[in-house]
Amino acid sequence: MIRVLFVCLGNICRSPLAEAIFDDKVKKLGFEQYFKSDSAGTSDYHIGELPDERTIRCAQANNISINHRGRQVNRVDFREFDYILAMDHQNLQNLNLMKSKYGFEEKEIHLIRDFVEGSQGLPVPDPYYGGEEGFHEIYQILDEAIDHFLNTIQERHRIYA
Ligand code: 4NP
């Protein structure tokens, strides 16, 4: 079982949407037995909350189900997850500080867009303070990034249909 954690700041916009897109793709590929996913935030701002209404509408518009409650990244996550994927540089920096503090130096933490040729180092922009169109934009970005991430780990772990 390959365990993947998606991380943003609030865990109500980008990372729960990433988790929902990932689960949808895994299901369509028939790979449910190989992958487990979750999402979390670096902040404690929205613990216990449902995703942002705009996130829910975006998921619905794209026919994917979303079912998550906000939670904060914690020490146990570094032990439980094989891949930790950050949405932006601030998330990445916080995760790297945590991994040193908790003694998980070897843990793989990446910016999610680093799996897309030509988009390495780019963030998934924070849509929270913007309008509805920002959610359409992050959906496209995440959809592409997750396709590339899935291709990479499928090859690395030799998972074939
Ligand atoms: P997310 O978006 O990190 O993609 O979930 C945000 C959600 C909430 C806040 C910031 C970003 N906030 O400041 O409350």
Side-chain angles (χ1 to χ4, degrees):
M1 186 69 102
I2 298 157
R3 297 153 305 174
V4 184
L5 182 67
F6 298 94
V7 176
C8 61
L9 176 63
N11 193 213
I12 54 170
C13 299
R14 293 165 291 177
S15 63
L17 190 59
E19 178 193 351
I21 294 170
F22 180 83
D23 286 353
D24 181 68
K25 289 183 188 294
V26 163
K27 193 172 174 189
K28 284 178 177 151
L29 288 164
F31 287 165
E32 288 129 304
Q33 71 272 36
Y34 301 121
F35 295 103
K36 174 182 169 294
S37 74
D38 197 4
S39 65
T42 56
S43 78
D44 62 1
Y45 305 155
H46 298 282
I47 292 173
E49 292 179 24
L50 286 170
D52 189 283
E53 282 179 21
R54 297 165 296 176
T55 309
I56 293 172
R57 279 198 294 275
C58 178
Q60 283 170 346
N62 288 283
N63 273 315
I64 59 167
S65 56
I66 191 159
N67 179 26
H68 184 75
R69 290 280 176 174
R71 72 171 185 89
Q72 190 171 22
V73 187
N74 63 68
R75 175 197 287 260
V76 176
D77 290 324
F78 288 84
R79 195 180 67 217
E80 299 277 301
F81 289 91
D82 303 300
Y83 295 94
I84 300 181
L85 303 181
M87 298 296 136
D88 65 28
H89 293 89
Q90 188 198 352
N91 314 147
L92 184 65
Q93 190 180 16
N94 283 322
L95 289 165
N96 280 326
L97 287 171
M98 290 176 86
K99 96 169 176 179
S100 302
K101 187 170 119 188
Y102 296 149
F104 290 91
E105 296 293 353
E106 69 300 335
K107 184 60 59 181
E108 284 210 36
I109 304 180
H110 301 275
L111 275 178
I112 191 169
R113 297 185 76 180
D114 279 354
F115 293 92
V116 184
E117 200 65 41
S119 296
Q120 284 96 347
L122 293 177
V124 180
D126 184 345
Y128 188 65
Y129 293 105
E132 203 94 23
E133 73 286 353
F135 287 78
H136 180 68
E137 186 193 345
I138 63 164
Y139 185 90
Q140 304 303 325
I141 291 171
L142 289 170
D143 187 57
E144 180 187 41
I146 291 165
D147 275 339
H148 287 258
F149 171 66
L150 263 171
N151 282 336
T152 303
I153 53 174
Q154 258 178 263
E155 283 181 19
R156 189 188 288 184
H157 298 274
R158 300 182 186 284
I159 296 168
Y160 303 109

